[in-house]
Amino acid sequence: MRNVVIRSGLPDRWACSLLIHLTSVASHEMVELTGVGVVVQSLIAGLGSA
């Protein structure tokens, strides 16, 4: 398992808010998705320290 570092300078609670909204969209509007892989990948890509 690798460490994921969220880049600095983001607003407080931003990661939590994004996770909640991504999960909601996935479960209500994209029911064809299975598992949480796409949600997690999207969250990491958006918040990562790239």
Side-chain angles (χ1 to χ4, degrees), residues 26-40:
S27 66
H28 292 102
E29 298 179 25
M30 304 192 74
V31 295
E32 69 275 8
L33 294 177
T34 57
V36 297
V38 173
V39 172
V40 172

Side-chain angles (χ1 to χ4, degrees), residues 34-49:
T34 57
V36 297
V38 173
V39 172
V40 172
Q41 289 174 345
S42 297
L43 183 70
I44 291 170
L47 299 176
S49 61

